[in-house]
Amino acid sequence: MASPPRGLPISFIVLTLFTFLPNPATSLRTSFIKLPGSDGSRSSSAADTYCESWRLAAETNNAGTWDVIPSVCVDSVAGYLNGDQYGSDYGVIADYALAFAETVQVSGDGKDVWIFDIDETLLTNLDYYRAHGYGSEPFESNSFNEWVVGGTAPAFEASLRLYNALKKLGFTIVLLTGRDEHQRSVTETNLRDAGYSGWERLLLRGPEDQGKSATNYKSEQRSKLIEKGFKIRGNTGDQWSDLLGFAVADRSFKVPNPMYYIP
């Protein structure tokens, strides 16, 4: 390390260093980096550029914990979700997942498992979020539960294609969702109406799972599967909390969802 310049006291140098260190008390929910347009004050082109960058940061889990999409990004997110890119992104990820699945030597004993999340993975709730600002409004559980009870969420075309291909390859399908146990019947009906069938297990939150983070709850459920002799070959979900934690799959595939974040 180079010696400090002559004439500068050590105390001055230390003070200068601390001036540029981030405050550890700053909330993780606060973004340290303010890109052009993030405060809504820049031009529409600058805002669009920022929103593309924000969406990339969110999808790659670099944005950390966030509650709602930036208000300046509502139009950008809406355009993405309603345009061709969303479906294309989904399709490419499904193709990669299937390509990996075809390399797995399925034993044929029913123990080779592929896990799917449900909401924004097998079923799309875009119609609900379209009416609620595409994720710009705080999540309201009562209105979302009313939507779930309606049982009209359609399938993602790419997910249904992947799901059926995995069944043909001999994988055992397990559905692991953050929905509550009392929503089992309507969830099963919605899945069947959307074209899904033949899953081995549908795992929902029971009373003992309330209050747990999604990461812990889903890790515990995967661990129980492993204890019963299942081998989790693949896992597909729209949230990092679907995929991370412990007892993870051999390979996990994150599908896009710029509307909300679940820790």
Side-chain angles (χ1 to χ4, degrees), residues 33-56:
I33 301 175
K34 297 297 183 183
L35 298 179
S38 62
D39 59 357
S41 63
R42 298 300 183 99
S43 67
S44 59
S45 61
D48 288 343
T49 300
Y50 165 72
C51 292
E52 288 294 313
S53 299
W54 173 84
R55 186 162 56 81
L56 174 63

Side-chain angles (χ1 to χ4, degrees), residues 113-244:
V113 165
W114 197 288
I115 294 176
F116 283 97
D117 173 54
I118 292 180
D119 292 299
E120 271 57 66
T121 301
L122 294 183
L123 300 178
T124 171
N125 300 301
L126 181 55
D127 285 346
Y128 172 83
Y129 284 99
R130 188 178 283 121
H132 292 273
Y134 295 97
S136 64
E137 300 176 7
F139 180 72
E140 209 290 303
S141 59
N142 289 332
S143 63
F144 183 73
N145 287 336
E146 290 177 2
W147 161 261
V148 169
V149 169
T152 59
F156 283 101
E157 180 181 345
S159 285
L160 184 57
R161 172 170 56 83
L162 173 61
Y163 182 100
N164 288 329
L166 292 173
K167 285 198 306 178
K168 290 181 180 179
L169 289 173
F171 286 92
T172 294
I173 305 297
V174 172
L175 311 183
L176 176 53
T177 175
R179 293 187 180 193
D180 291 337
E181 181 62 42
H182 69 82
Q183 296 171 322
R184 177 177 294 276
S185 179
V186 68
T187 299
E188 290 177 336
T189 299
N190 194 164
L191 286 165
R192 292 191 180 101
D193 288 346
Y196 297 102
S197 63
W199 57 83
E200 174 67 20
R201 301 184 183 205
L202 170 59
L203 305 176
L204 303 99
R205 282 185 186 261
E208 70 281 4
D209 300 312
Q210 301 305 313
K212 295 178 181 177
S213 70
T215 302
N216 287 339
Y217 156 66
K218 294 200 169 187
S219 293
E220 289 174 0
Q221 295 300 316
R222 293 194 302 266
S223 183
K224 291 176 183 178
L225 290 172
I226 292 173
E227 290 172 359
K228 294 176 181 177
F230 292 102
K231 299 179 287 290
I232 303 176
R233 300 303 194 183
N235 187 4
T236 304
D238 67 293
Q239 299 290 316
W240 287 103
S241 54
D242 297 331
L243 312 173
L244 301 179

Side-chain angles (χ1 to χ4, degrees), residues 23-33 62-67 261:
N23 183 353
T26 303
S27 169
L28 289 176
R29 293 175 181 266
T30 302
S31 174
F32 291 113
I33 301 175
N62 288 317
T65 301
W66 51 278
D67 295 318
Y261 176 91

Side-chain angles (χ1 to χ4, degrees), residues 90-102 114 162 251 253:
Y90 231 100
V92 167
I93 294 167
D95 289 342
Y96 277 119
L98 182 56
F100 164 74
E102 290 173 341
W114 197 288
L162 173 61
R251 183 84 185 270
F253 295 88

